[in-house]
Structures are given as structure tokens and as C-alpha cells.
Amino acid sequence: MRTELNQIKRFSYTDILGWSVSRYDKFQTCKRQYYYDYYAKHDQEFPKEKIESLKKMTSIPLEIGNIFHDTVKILLERLLVSEKPVNNEKFLDYIHKMTEQYCKVKIFREVYYKEKEKIETDKIFENLKNIANNFIESRRYQWILKEAVSNKTGWIIEPPGYGETRINGIKAYCKVDFLFPVKEKLYILDWKTGKPDERKHKKQLVGYATWAYFHFEANPENIHPIIVYLQPSFSEMELSVKAEEIQQYSEAVKKETEELHSFCKDIGLNIPKEKEEFQKTENLPVCRFCNYRELCDR
């Protein structure tokens, strides 16, 4: 199957909001958090710069995921040039340096809200070391080395941009980690360093298949999206997607987009209703992991 970066369709800019799994999940979790994430410039209570600075904060689990994703991207790009075995010592040393660099320049939510005095980069590295070893020693990585490298020209590794696409004509965002052909099949891998979430992740897998179906016009039965879990041990969730599931997914995206639009006073320009319409969650444990909780505590 032919897959190339230039086959990914491009779209002219429009103001209307774009649906995504993460956007709708945030909308369901807490409407106020959703407002701060997407509509900071419209807020009349707090300066946009303040909201944006809180939004940019990271967390230990999030940064572990960021570092690993960037590490795997570099590893796969290396395979495009050379298939020589990875030197584990040098590989881990590189991850250690990345960990120190990333943690040095970022503000962590745990420190900002005084849950921790400081970020212990060595502990983060030990976690990443386990994750990296699980990946390098996994059957999936060995399978990539054996089966997928024969058609490296078809590899798409974290394509640039935000992954704008169309689902049933609706503006949406979906960005794959790694897409590649093996014979007549199209594989999509998504790395997870957090806990399995069957409902959420199955929805993501169908989304990846829908994205590939739209851009590459592939037979849904030949698209194989896979979630790769990397801790505490290696495991996978693979989905066989049927055409009717893509249709059902498209209908769900339409319904969820309409829900998002219902909180806009101007849908075309993506101008939100007043902040008071975006109610705070009543699920208080969610607040502990929210970057904006100081805004709600005032």
C-alpha cells in the first residue's frame, strides 16, 4: 500500500472549532477547564497571559509521555537512515540528557501547587528507562525491524501540524504517532505511558482508522490501529475496524461537535458564550489535577 506524507490532505484556515478526542474529553470533564484551555482570550476576569502560563504547565506523568514520544520519534527516524542495532547504553544516556533538559525549562504543576518541593529528574529517568527497555525488548519493535523496514519510504512519523482532517465533512483533529504499510495492510501505532483506558483508547483507535481511511482511501479492513502500552509492562490493544464502525464514529463526531457548538454564541467565528455558562465540575477529585485550580479557588 502506498502511503506518503504528501498524500495527507491540507485545508485552508477557518475560525470554526475543530473536534478532537482530547477536546471533547476536556469538555465532558469540566466545562470551566475547557473554557480556559480554548477561550482564554475571551476571559474578562483574568489576563490571557496568566491563563496561558497555567495552561503551559506540565506534570510528571505528562512529561514522561512527552519525553518518550520524542525519543521514539528520533529512534524511528534513525531507522530511516540506518538499521544497525541500537546501543542501549548510548540510547539510555540520550534519554537521561533529554530528561534533564526538558525538566530544567518547564514548570511542573506539582511544584507550582506545592505538592512537591522539587522535581526529581533521576526518578523520572528511572521510569523512562523502564519504559524504553520495555519498548526495545518488545515483540512489536522486533517485528518493525523485521517486517516494516522493507518499505521505509511509506513511513509517516508524527506528521507536522495538528493533524487537521475532515470526518463526514466536519473539521476535526487527529494526529497519529506512527503509520506505516506492510504489504497490503496499513498499521498505526500510538504509544501510551499511562494507564489503559479501554473506552477512551478504543475511540482513539477508530479515530485513527477514520483518519487513514479519509487521507489514503484505504479499505477499512486493511487498517490496523494499535495502542502500545509501555508500563508497567508491554501490552497492546489492537482493533479490527469495519466500515460501519467508521460510519458510526462519523455520526458520533457530528453529535459531539454540535454539543461543542452549543457553547458558542457565534459558531462560524468560534466565539464562546459567557464564562458563567461553562460550569465548574462537581467531581472535585478532577480539580486536583487541573492547572487552573487557583483561578477557581479565588
Side-chain angles (χ1 to χ4, degrees):
M1 181 176 292
R2 180 174 166 271
T3 57
E4 294 180 5
L5 195 61
N6 61 16
Q7 285 181 265
I8 298 176
K9 298 177 176 67
R10 309 295 178 187
F11 308 94
S12 299
Y13 174 80
T14 57
D15 286 314
I16 194 168
L17 68 82
W19 176 96
S20 70
V21 169
S22 59
R23 181 170 191 145
Y24 188 71
D25 278 352
K26 186 67 63 73
F27 176 79
Q28 284 190 307
T29 300
C30 176
K31 302 293 190 296
R32 184 61 58 88
Q33 187 183 63
Y34 169 78
Y35 177 87
Y36 287 136
D37 254 15
Y38 292 97
Y39 297 116
K41 69 180 181 180
H42 295 280
D43 191 61
Q44 300 298 311
E45 186 178 6
F46 303 109
K48 175 188 173 184
E49 294 73 20
K50 174 64 175 178
I51 299 172
E52 292 288 352
S53 69
L54 293 175
K55 179 181 179 179
K56 289 177 182 177
M57 284 197 305
T58 189
S59 66
I60 293 171
L62 182 60
E63 211 51 40
I64 287 171
N66 288 338
I67 295 168
F68 180 75
H69 273 76
D70 289 352
T71 299
V72 171
K73 181 176 185 291
I74 291 166
L75 179 63
L76 293 173
E77 288 173 342
R78 174 189 176 275
L79 280 175
L80 293 175
V81 179
S82 171
E83 297 170 28
K84 291 181 180 179
V86 173
N87 182 309
N88 279 4
E89 185 177 345
K90 289 184 178 180
F91 182 53
L92 292 175
D93 183 58
Y94 180 78
I95 295 174
H96 190 259
K97 290 177 180 176
M98 281 184 69
T99 303
E100 291 183 332
Q101 290 171 0
Y102 279 45
C103 293
K104 185 187 299 182
V105 298
K106 297 193 178 183
I107 298 173
F108 283 76
R109 184 180 64 218
E110 294 90 343
V111 174
Y112 184 84
Y113 284 113
K114 297 180 172 50
E115 295 167 9
K116 289 183 175 291
E117 184 177 339
K118 63 179 182 178
I119 295 301
E120 299 175 272
T121 55
D122 285 344
K123 286 188 177 181
I124 292 177
F125 170 67
E126 284 302 314
N127 196 319
L128 281 160
K129 180 179 177 181
N130 178 61
I131 291 169
N133 285 332
N134 286 343
F135 176 68
I136 291 293
E137 296 170 6
S138 71
R139 62 186 184 279
R140 180 61 65 187
Y141 181 64
Q142 299 307 315
W143 177 81
I144 291 170
L145 293 177
K146 182 179 179 182
E147 300 290 341
V149 292
S150 61
N151 192 7
K152 292 189 287 187
T153 57
W155 286 17
I156 295 176
I157 306 166
E158 290 196 25
Y162 296 102
E164 183 173 346
T165 189
R166 295 292 181 268
I167 298 176
N168 200 19
I170 295 170
K171 182 179 179 181
Y173 292 95
C174 178
K175 188 166 181 176
V176 299
D177 285 344
F178 182 32
L179 178 146
F180 56 96
V182 175
K183 297 179 181 177
E184 294 303 313
K185 296 182 179 180
L186 196 59
Y187 290 86
I188 303 168
L189 301 186
D190 185 71
W191 326 114
K192 299 293 184 190
T193 56
K195 297 178 180 178
D197 185 331
E198 185 173 353
R199 181 199 64 80
K200 179 180 178 181
H201 294 161
K202 182 178 179 181
K203 184 177 182 181
Q204 285 184 329
L205 290 178
V206 179
Y208 294 140
T210 304
W211 181 87
Y213 173 74
F214 174 75
H215 287 281
F216 302 106
E217 300 177 4
N219 182 336
E221 294 184 3
N222 287 336
I223 303 173
H224 294 270
I226 303 168
I227 296 282
V228 178
Y229 298 107
L230 291 151
Q231 66 171 339
S233 58
F234 182 93
S235 63
E236 293 182 342
M237 178 195 293
E238 184 171 358
L239 200 64
S240 296
V241 181
K242 301 184 183 302
E244 52 266 32
E245 288 181 284
I246 289 179
Q247 180 58 37
Q248 291 168 1
Y249 187 85
S250 299
E251 292 169 359
V253 168
K254 182 176 184 295
K255 178 178 177 295
E256 291 173 5
T257 300
E258 289 171 351
E259 288 183 57
L260 297 174
H261 284 170
S262 72
F263 278 74
C264 292
K265 62 183 178 183
D266 188 317
I267 294 172
L269 295 177
N270 192 22
I271 297 175
K273 293 181 176 179
E274 299 305 314
K275 184 166 75 171
E276 290 67 28
E277 298 285 337
F278 295 79
Q279 295 296 313
K280 302 174 187 178
T281 182
E282 294 182 1
N283 183 10
L284 295 183
V286 168
C287 302
R288 185 182 164 220
F289 302 99
C290 178
N291 287 18
Y292 309 110
R293 64 181 189 250
E294 74 169 65
L295 304 183
C296 294
D297 288 343
R298 293 186 180 185

